[in-house]
Amino acid sequence: MDAELFEKMGIFYLGRDLEPKTLRPTKIPTLVKSKNFTTHAAVIGMTGSGKTGLGVDILEEAAIDNIPVIVIDPKGDMGDLCLTSEKLRAEDFLPWVEDEARQKGEEPLEYARKIAEMWREGIESWGQSSDRIARFKSHDATIYTPGSTAGVPVNVLGSLDAPDAATLEDPDALAQSINAVVSSLLALLGIDADPIQSREYILIAQILKRAWMAGEKVDIGTLISHIITLPFDKIGVLPLESFYPAAERFKLASSMNNLIASPSFESWLTGAPLDIDALMYDERQKAKISIFSIAHLSDEERMFFVTLLLSRIVEWMRRQSGTGRLRALLYMDEIYGYFPPSKNPPSKAPMMTLLKQARAFGVGVVLSTQNPVDLDYKGLGNIGTWFIGRLQTRQDIEKVIDGLAGKLDAELDRDEIVKTLSNLPKRTFFYKSAHEKGIRLFQTRWVLSYLKGPLKKRDIAKLTAAKKKPRTASLSHETPKSPAAQPNGKSRTPILSSDISQRFDLALSPGGLYRPHLAAAATVRYVNAARGIDESESLALCIPLDDTIDYPDWDEAEPCDKAFTQAPKKPTGDTAFAPLPGSVTQAKNFKAFQKALKDHLYTQKRLTLYRCRKLKAESKPHESLETFKNRLMEILEERLDAEKEKLQSRYAKKLQTLHERLVRAQQKLAKEQEDVGKATTGSLVDAGLAIFGALFGGKRSAASKLGQAMKGGSRVLKERADVQRAQARIDEIETQIDALKEELEEKLDELEEKYRLERYEIETFFIKPRRTDVDVEMPILYWRWEPVA
Ligand SMILES: Nc1ncnc2c1ncn2[C@@H]1O[C@H](COP(=O)(O)OP(=O)(O)OP(=O)(O)O)[C@@H](O)[C@H]1O
Ligand SMILES: [Mg+2]
């Protein structure tokens, strides 16, 4: 019952405290408030000390408390979070242990049975029910594999989207975002670029910055075409041509193009975009577990990806409102190389920003490493909680203690700590937190997930098979093929009136085909003074004109990149032209096309918004329903947390009083008993006391002293009336305690129910543009190039 109680209170169950001197286990569960993780944690210990096990413990606890987690997994161990079985049957374990069984020359199913049994025993001996496993398993865990399609691929380069407005307005933040994208992109292309000196770096950074500021969408396709036909003609004070002549830019563009066309590169462009919002909750508002497995990548690729992911998290974080609760957890298993003290790899800047600023946004970072010297010294200062496991050498121990300097209470003896740390068995951690007085030693609880060790690509592929979404194409210059318009021989550029503007894609290789499109850029403005909304949406549409079309219809249009307005005015290369419908060859029709598009947009375009009247909240323009729901949920969780906290302190006082009475009653009983020596150690509800410790920090040591004071409860010598009376008194108080806990639990349940998102109706409504607020540019004839197979 106590277990159920702390499950409801935003507390992480990490293990059991050990007696500091003897390292013998006590009954006191190691409970840590989830909130404490907002000041970040470091896990340090030698190989095999149990860091990953502790990491898995923490992440399981987070998921159970509906806190989303993002995991960066350089070694491939963290995919184990997907290996959970509620029933703990041999069949469930079989696919995970088959290989190992064969290696050991054992019969697979028999081996699976042994392992499943071991896990059952482990889990149960730590007081964990299958209910708990089920609760954890109900959270979606996904293994993302950037640069590979073994797991869920991540489209990291398909979209080089601008960060949010806040980042754009802050020059430092903007510079950091640009730096992250450009340096990692160039690294991936094998160009070793110095941000100050390299032409490539400066050019690409300029293009990105300009596009971001202009609110244009950029992907790698548009980036390549911008490198050739630049939307500006000066870099600093230098004319572009002398800074970076066109012929050489063309070389850069085609080498980039060749690279992205290579099959191995394609996986960087496949899959879901790297959108942090989408990693938070699923459609049932259940926190997700997102594991980014990068073990299969080269060092450069890992650095590229980690930097990009961290920068995206920083940008996302800045968009969130401030909070005191733990909103999300970022865990990195094995930080070695990403956050070193004396060097400056690209990943360091965003990591430092996270450690310094994430607290205000409720984003906790947990870093794990074998060696204290892998962590930047300044970064260490921002870490509030330390888990120190077995260390290899005396030197390592000294370093850790130096790192902790100033965080340890004065009364603790350095030699004593050194001695303790030198003798730690595996799965045992020394715990020091800025949120608690004193130190603790504990053994990590048995993990719910099966710790198989590093997952191979094949394992990941198997686990992911069920989840994979269909591949999505992302390059803007990919055009759906229209079967009707195959060129029969080379046709020449159609001769049209000069009143019709035409634009031509760059032909990226000799030959190929130009397909005609009617394209136009437009702006739609949505104004709603009462809501303070004045939103302009700039968009571009184009209609593929194959020869089944006589007269273009905007209902057939598809969104396209606005970059066509910058494309060259003359065709390039030795390229054929697909035929053109007659209606588009007449300049006078273009005015009608323009008007038709205006009508089309006026009737079709809406700004969709959502509202929840009960919470007096409305979505912001362009906020998705999903994101809006997540925001509502956070409001609810915030209120829920506050109410829980009130409730808890109210009950804690009452419980404390009862506990004190219990102590007195037990002491009385001990006295009444003739043979005090025979009295066994009382069954004091240590767990209950530990909960207070976790809730109210400093009370912990008092609580454990209390625990030791409890002697009594002997079953001997019941005949004496005093003894019986004393015993009855104890029973009575224990019943009261149980009743009070039950009551608290019920109240907590009621609160949960009251704040469930489903109880809050969400409506959809729209804001229409005024006709005068639909602005359409004169449509043009846009020739899209494609290679001919
Ligand atoms: N909480 C736990 N529950 C059950 N088994 C555990 C737990 N923690 C560790 N173990 C066992 O101990 C082994 C080693 O632990 P773990 O992998 O966590 O060490 P580590 O410190 O991460 O080592 P490395 O630095 O090599 O990654 C695990 O493979 C597992 O068998
Ligand atoms: Mg490990």
Side-chain angles (χ1 to χ4, degrees), residues 354-365:
L354 279 175
L355 289 180
K356 283 189 179 155
Q357 299 178 10
R359 173 182 194 170
F361 300 98
V363 179
V365 181

Side-chain angles (χ1 to χ4, degrees), residues 46-53 57 75 77 119 334 370 426-427 444-447 451:
M46 65 183 274
T47 175
S49 59
K51 299 183 295 298
T52 300
D57 278 343
K75 276 170 71 177
D77 282 337
W119 240 254
E334 221 48 78
Q370 296 192 14
K426 84 178 211 185
R427 273 180 66 188
T444 54
R445 72 156 170 79
W446 199 278
V447 288
L451 292 183

